[in-house]
Short mmCIF file of all heavy atoms in Angstrom, two decimals:
data_model
loop_
_atom_site.label_atom_id
_atom_site.label_comp_id
_atom_site.label_asym_id
_atom_site.label_seq_id
_atom_site.Cartn_x
_atom_site.Cartn_y
_atom_site.Cartn_z
N TYR A 286 -36.13 -44.75 48.66
CA TYR A 286 -37.40 -45.48 48.69
C TYR A 286 -38.28 -45.13 49.90
O TYR A 286 -39.18 -45.88 50.24
CB TYR A 286 -37.17 -47.00 48.66
CG TYR A 286 -36.24 -47.44 47.58
CD1 TYR A 286 -34.99 -47.97 47.88
CD2 TYR A 286 -36.61 -47.33 46.24
CE1 TYR A 286 -34.13 -48.37 46.87
CE2 TYR A 286 -35.76 -47.74 45.22
CZ TYR A 286 -34.52 -48.25 45.55
OH TYR A 286 -33.67 -48.65 44.55
N THR A 287 -38.05 -44.01 50.53
CA THR A 287 -38.83 -43.69 51.73
C THR A 287 -40.32 -43.50 51.41
O THR A 287 -41.16 -43.66 52.29
CB THR A 287 -38.27 -42.44 52.42
OG1 THR A 287 -38.95 -42.26 53.67
CG2 THR A 287 -38.50 -41.19 51.58
N TYR A 288 -40.65 -43.15 50.16
CA TYR A 288 -42.05 -42.96 49.78
C TYR A 288 -42.70 -44.21 49.21
O TYR A 288 -43.86 -44.17 48.79
CB TYR A 288 -42.19 -41.79 48.80
CG TYR A 288 -41.74 -40.47 49.38
CD1 TYR A 288 -40.81 -39.68 48.73
CD2 TYR A 288 -42.24 -40.03 50.61
CE1 TYR A 288 -40.39 -38.47 49.28
CE2 TYR A 288 -41.83 -38.83 51.15
CZ TYR A 288 -40.91 -38.05 50.49
OH TYR A 288 -40.49 -36.87 51.03
N ASP A 289 -41.95 -45.30 49.16
CA ASP A 289 -42.51 -46.57 48.70
C ASP A 289 -43.17 -47.25 49.89
O ASP A 289 -42.51 -47.83 50.74
CB ASP A 289 -41.41 -47.45 48.11
CG ASP A 289 -41.96 -48.72 47.48
OD1 ASP A 289 -43.13 -49.06 47.75
OD2 ASP A 289 -41.21 -49.39 46.75
N LEU A 290 -44.50 -47.15 49.97
CA LEU A 290 -45.22 -47.65 51.14
C LEU A 290 -45.21 -49.17 51.23
O LEU A 290 -45.61 -49.73 52.26
CB LEU A 290 -46.67 -47.14 51.12
CG LEU A 290 -46.82 -45.61 51.12
CD1 LEU A 290 -48.29 -45.23 51.15
CD2 LEU A 290 -46.07 -44.99 52.28
N SER A 291 -44.76 -49.85 50.17
CA SER A 291 -44.67 -51.30 50.24
C SER A 291 -43.45 -51.77 51.02
O SER A 291 -43.33 -52.95 51.36
CB SER A 291 -44.62 -51.89 48.82
OG SER A 291 -43.40 -51.52 48.16
N ILE A 292 -42.53 -50.84 51.30
CA ILE A 292 -41.31 -51.17 52.05
C ILE A 292 -41.51 -50.82 53.51
O ILE A 292 -41.85 -49.68 53.85
CB ILE A 292 -40.10 -50.43 51.47
CG1 ILE A 292 -39.86 -50.85 50.03
CG2 ILE A 292 -38.85 -50.69 52.31
CD1 ILE A 292 -38.70 -50.14 49.36
N ASP A 293 -41.31 -51.79 54.39
CA ASP A 293 -41.45 -51.57 55.82
C ASP A 293 -40.37 -50.60 56.30
O ASP A 293 -39.24 -50.61 55.82
CB ASP A 293 -41.32 -52.91 56.56
CG ASP A 293 -41.59 -52.75 58.04
OD1 ASP A 293 -42.76 -52.82 58.44
OD2 ASP A 293 -40.61 -52.57 58.79
N MET A 294 -40.73 -49.73 57.28
CA MET A 294 -39.79 -48.75 57.79
C MET A 294 -38.52 -49.40 58.32
O MET A 294 -37.42 -48.86 58.20
CB MET A 294 -40.44 -47.90 58.90
CG MET A 294 -39.57 -46.75 59.37
SD MET A 294 -40.40 -45.64 60.54
CE MET A 294 -40.55 -46.70 61.97
N ASP A 295 -38.64 -50.60 58.90
CA ASP A 295 -37.48 -51.29 59.44
C ASP A 295 -36.52 -51.72 58.35
O ASP A 295 -35.37 -52.09 58.64
CB ASP A 295 -37.91 -52.50 60.27
CG ASP A 295 -38.58 -52.10 61.57
OD1 ASP A 295 -38.31 -50.97 62.04
OD2 ASP A 295 -39.37 -52.88 62.11
N SER A 296 -36.97 -51.71 57.09
CA SER A 296 -36.11 -52.12 55.99
C SER A 296 -35.43 -50.93 55.31
O SER A 296 -34.56 -51.12 54.45
CB SER A 296 -36.93 -52.89 54.95
OG SER A 296 -37.52 -54.04 55.52
N LEU A 297 -35.83 -49.71 55.66
CA LEU A 297 -35.23 -48.53 55.04
C LEU A 297 -33.83 -48.29 55.58
O LEU A 297 -33.51 -48.64 56.72
CB LEU A 297 -36.11 -47.30 55.31
CG LEU A 297 -37.48 -47.27 54.65
CD1 LEU A 297 -38.25 -46.04 55.11
CD2 LEU A 297 -37.35 -47.28 53.13
N GLN A 298 -33.01 -47.66 54.75
CA GLN A 298 -31.67 -47.32 55.19
C GLN A 298 -31.41 -45.84 55.01
O GLN A 298 -32.03 -45.18 54.17
CB GLN A 298 -30.61 -48.13 54.42
CG GLN A 298 -30.51 -47.77 52.95
CD GLN A 298 -29.48 -48.60 52.22
OE1 GLN A 298 -29.22 -49.75 52.60
NE2 GLN A 298 -28.87 -48.04 51.18
N LEU A 299 -30.49 -45.33 55.81
CA LEU A 299 -30.08 -43.93 55.73
C LEU A 299 -28.69 -43.91 55.08
O LEU A 299 -27.74 -44.45 55.63
CB LEU A 299 -30.03 -43.32 57.13
CG LEU A 299 -29.73 -41.83 57.21
CD1 LEU A 299 -30.98 -41.02 56.87
CD2 LEU A 299 -29.24 -41.45 58.61
N ASP A 300 -28.59 -43.32 53.90
CA ASP A 300 -27.32 -43.22 53.22
C ASP A 300 -26.66 -41.89 53.56
O ASP A 300 -27.33 -40.87 53.73
CB ASP A 300 -27.50 -43.32 51.70
CG ASP A 300 -27.87 -44.73 51.26
OD1 ASP A 300 -27.90 -45.63 52.12
OD2 ASP A 300 -28.13 -44.93 50.06
N THR A 301 -25.34 -41.90 53.63
CA THR A 301 -24.60 -40.68 53.97
C THR A 301 -23.60 -40.35 52.86
O THR A 301 -23.10 -41.23 52.17
CB THR A 301 -23.83 -40.83 55.30
OG1 THR A 301 -22.89 -41.89 55.17
CG2 THR A 301 -24.78 -41.13 56.44
N ALA A 302 -23.34 -39.06 52.72
CA ALA A 302 -22.38 -38.59 51.72
C ALA A 302 -21.66 -37.36 52.26
O ALA A 302 -22.15 -36.68 53.16
CB ALA A 302 -23.08 -38.26 50.40
N ARG A 303 -20.50 -37.08 51.70
CA ARG A 303 -19.68 -35.94 52.10
C ARG A 303 -19.62 -34.95 50.94
O ARG A 303 -19.27 -35.32 49.82
CB ARG A 303 -18.27 -36.42 52.45
CG ARG A 303 -17.29 -35.32 52.86
CD ARG A 303 -15.89 -35.90 53.05
NE ARG A 303 -14.96 -34.87 53.46
CZ ARG A 303 -14.65 -34.58 54.72
NH1 ARG A 303 -15.20 -35.30 55.69
NH2 ARG A 303 -13.79 -33.62 55.02
N LEU A 304 -20.02 -33.70 51.20
CA LEU A 304 -19.98 -32.66 50.18
C LEU A 304 -18.86 -31.68 50.51
O LEU A 304 -18.92 -30.96 51.52
CB LEU A 304 -21.31 -31.92 50.11
CG LEU A 304 -21.33 -30.68 49.21
CD1 LEU A 304 -21.09 -31.06 47.75
CD2 LEU A 304 -22.64 -29.92 49.35
N ASP A 305 -17.82 -31.66 49.67
CA ASP A 305 -16.72 -30.72 49.83
C ASP A 305 -17.15 -29.37 49.27
O ASP A 305 -17.38 -29.24 48.06
CB ASP A 305 -15.49 -31.25 49.09
CG ASP A 305 -14.25 -30.40 49.33
OD1 ASP A 305 -14.39 -29.20 49.64
OD2 ASP A 305 -13.13 -30.93 49.19
N LEU A 306 -17.30 -28.37 50.11
CA LEU A 306 -17.80 -27.07 49.67
C LEU A 306 -16.80 -26.30 48.81
O LEU A 306 -17.18 -25.39 48.09
CB LEU A 306 -18.20 -26.22 50.87
CG LEU A 306 -19.47 -26.69 51.59
CD1 LEU A 306 -19.66 -25.92 52.89
CD2 LEU A 306 -20.70 -26.54 50.70
N SER A 307 -15.53 -26.67 48.88
CA SER A 307 -14.54 -25.98 48.04
C SER A 307 -14.60 -26.43 46.59
O SER A 307 -14.21 -25.69 45.69
CB SER A 307 -13.13 -26.21 48.60
OG SER A 307 -12.78 -27.59 48.55
N THR A 308 -15.12 -27.65 46.36
CA THR A 308 -15.22 -28.16 45.00
C THR A 308 -16.65 -28.49 44.59
O THR A 308 -16.93 -28.74 43.42
CB THR A 308 -14.38 -29.45 44.85
OG1 THR A 308 -14.91 -30.46 45.73
CG2 THR A 308 -12.93 -29.18 45.21
N LEU A 309 -17.57 -28.54 45.58
CA LEU A 309 -18.96 -28.96 45.38
C LEU A 309 -19.04 -30.38 44.82
O LEU A 309 -19.95 -30.71 44.05
CB LEU A 309 -19.72 -27.97 44.51
CG LEU A 309 -19.93 -26.58 45.10
CD1 LEU A 309 -20.72 -25.69 44.15
CD2 LEU A 309 -20.63 -26.66 46.45
N GLN A 310 -18.08 -31.20 45.21
CA GLN A 310 -18.06 -32.61 44.82
C GLN A 310 -18.57 -33.46 45.98
O GLN A 310 -18.18 -33.25 47.14
CB GLN A 310 -16.65 -33.05 44.43
CG GLN A 310 -16.11 -32.34 43.21
CD GLN A 310 -16.93 -32.61 41.96
OE1 GLN A 310 -17.20 -33.76 41.62
NE2 GLN A 310 -17.33 -31.54 41.27
N THR A 311 -19.43 -34.44 45.66
CA THR A 311 -20.03 -35.31 46.67
C THR A 311 -19.42 -36.70 46.60
O THR A 311 -19.24 -37.26 45.51
CB THR A 311 -21.55 -35.40 46.46
OG1 THR A 311 -22.12 -34.08 46.52
CG2 THR A 311 -22.19 -36.26 47.54
N THR A 312 -19.11 -37.27 47.78
CA THR A 312 -18.56 -38.61 47.87
C THR A 312 -19.44 -39.44 48.80
O THR A 312 -19.70 -39.04 49.94
CB THR A 312 -17.13 -38.58 48.43
OG1 THR A 312 -16.32 -37.73 47.61
CG2 THR A 312 -16.53 -39.99 48.46
N SER A 313 -19.90 -40.61 48.34
CA SER A 313 -20.69 -41.50 49.18
C SER A 313 -19.82 -42.06 50.29
O SER A 313 -18.63 -42.37 50.09
CB SER A 313 -21.29 -42.64 48.35
OG SER A 313 -22.21 -42.13 47.40
N LEU A 314 -20.41 -42.23 51.48
CA LEU A 314 -19.65 -42.71 52.63
C LEU A 314 -20.11 -44.09 53.09
O LEU A 314 -19.41 -45.08 52.92
CB LEU A 314 -19.74 -41.70 53.78
CG LEU A 314 -19.08 -40.34 53.55
CD1 LEU A 314 -19.33 -39.40 54.72
CD2 LEU A 314 -17.58 -40.51 53.32
N PHE A 315 -21.30 -44.20 53.68
CA PHE A 315 -21.78 -45.45 54.25
C PHE A 315 -23.29 -45.36 54.42
O PHE A 315 -23.89 -44.31 54.21
CB PHE A 315 -21.11 -45.74 55.61
CG PHE A 315 -21.17 -44.58 56.56
CD1 PHE A 315 -22.28 -44.37 57.37
CD2 PHE A 315 -20.13 -43.67 56.63
CE1 PHE A 315 -22.36 -43.29 58.23
CE2 PHE A 315 -20.19 -42.58 57.49
CZ PHE A 315 -21.31 -42.39 58.29
N ASP A 316 -23.92 -46.47 54.78
CA ASP A 316 -25.35 -46.45 55.07
C ASP A 316 -25.60 -47.14 56.41
O ASP A 316 -24.77 -47.92 56.89
CB ASP A 316 -26.16 -47.11 53.96
CG ASP A 316 -25.78 -48.55 53.71
OD1 ASP A 316 -26.20 -49.41 54.51
OD2 ASP A 316 -25.06 -48.81 52.75
N LEU A 317 -26.74 -46.85 57.01
CA LEU A 317 -27.12 -47.45 58.28
C LEU A 317 -28.63 -47.55 58.35
O LEU A 317 -29.34 -47.08 57.45
CB LEU A 317 -26.58 -46.64 59.46
CG LEU A 317 -27.00 -45.16 59.58
CD1 LEU A 317 -27.11 -44.77 61.04
CD2 LEU A 317 -25.95 -44.28 58.92
N HIS A 318 -29.12 -48.15 59.43
CA HIS A 318 -30.56 -48.35 59.57
C HIS A 318 -31.25 -47.00 59.71
O HIS A 318 -30.76 -46.10 60.39
CB HIS A 318 -30.83 -49.24 60.79
CG HIS A 318 -32.24 -49.74 60.87
ND1 HIS A 318 -33.23 -49.07 61.52
CD2 HIS A 318 -32.83 -50.84 60.34
CE1 HIS A 318 -34.37 -49.73 61.41
NE2 HIS A 318 -34.16 -50.81 60.70
N TYR A 319 -32.42 -46.87 59.10
CA TYR A 319 -33.12 -45.60 59.02
C TYR A 319 -33.42 -44.99 60.38
O TYR A 319 -33.30 -43.78 60.57
CB TYR A 319 -34.42 -45.81 58.23
CG TYR A 319 -35.32 -44.60 58.14
CD1 TYR A 319 -34.84 -43.38 57.67
CD2 TYR A 319 -36.66 -44.69 58.50
CE1 TYR A 319 -35.67 -42.28 57.56
CE2 TYR A 319 -37.50 -43.58 58.39
CZ TYR A 319 -36.99 -42.38 57.93
OH TYR A 319 -37.81 -41.29 57.84
N VAL A 320 -33.82 -45.81 61.36
CA VAL A 320 -34.28 -45.25 62.63
C VAL A 320 -33.16 -45.12 63.66
O VAL A 320 -33.41 -44.71 64.79
CB VAL A 320 -35.42 -46.11 63.23
CG1 VAL A 320 -36.61 -46.11 62.30
CG2 VAL A 320 -34.95 -47.53 63.53
N GLN A 321 -31.92 -45.45 63.31
CA GLN A 321 -30.84 -45.33 64.29
C GLN A 321 -30.54 -43.87 64.59
O GLN A 321 -30.48 -43.03 63.69
CB GLN A 321 -29.58 -46.01 63.75
CG GLN A 321 -29.63 -47.52 63.76
CD GLN A 321 -28.36 -48.15 63.21
OE1 GLN A 321 -28.40 -49.02 62.37
NE2 GLN A 321 -27.23 -47.69 63.71
N PRO A 322 -30.32 -43.53 65.87
CA PRO A 322 -29.91 -42.16 66.19
C PRO A 322 -28.48 -41.93 65.73
O PRO A 322 -27.70 -42.88 65.60
CB PRO A 322 -30.01 -42.13 67.72
CG PRO A 322 -29.79 -43.55 68.14
CD PRO A 322 -30.40 -44.40 67.06
N TYR A 323 -28.12 -40.67 65.49
CA TYR A 323 -26.75 -40.40 65.04
C TYR A 323 -26.34 -38.98 65.41
O TYR A 323 -27.17 -38.11 65.68
CB TYR A 323 -26.62 -40.62 63.53
CG TYR A 323 -27.53 -39.77 62.67
CD1 TYR A 323 -27.19 -38.47 62.32
CD2 TYR A 323 -28.73 -40.28 62.19
CE1 TYR A 323 -28.02 -37.69 61.53
CE2 TYR A 323 -29.58 -39.51 61.40
CZ TYR A 323 -29.20 -38.22 61.07
OH TYR A 323 -30.03 -37.45 60.29
N ALA A 324 -25.02 -38.76 65.42
CA ALA A 324 -24.43 -37.44 65.66
C ALA A 324 -23.02 -37.44 65.11
O ALA A 324 -22.38 -38.50 64.99
CB ALA A 324 -24.44 -37.10 67.15
N CYS A 325 -22.50 -36.25 64.79
CA CYS A 325 -21.14 -36.10 64.26
C CYS A 325 -20.31 -35.24 65.19
O CYS A 325 -20.82 -34.28 65.77
CB CYS A 325 -21.17 -35.45 62.88
SG CYS A 325 -22.14 -36.29 61.63
#
């Protein structure tokens, strides 16, 4: 919903997923606030 201008930026979330390159299968992991900094 990042392009839905009716939604405030503070309400957006960042969803994460894991893509296994050996199988090209994607698994959902977790979500967090859109503007939070992150690193792996």
Side-chain angles (χ1 to χ4, degrees):
Y286 310 113
T287 187
Y288 298 127
D289 186 345
L290 301 182
S291 67
I292 298 178
D293 186 86
M294 186 173 69
D295 290 336
S296 301
L297 293 175
Q298 68 181 29
L299 185 78
D300 289 356
T301 61
R303 179 186 181 93
L304 172 64
D305 186 335
L306 289 171
S307 63
T308 63
L309 294 181
Q310 296 298 308
T311 302
T312 304
S313 295
L314 294 175
F315 50 85
D316 59 78
L317 59 147
H318 192 269
Y319 176 54
V320 298
Q321 287 180 229
Y323 59 84
C325 302

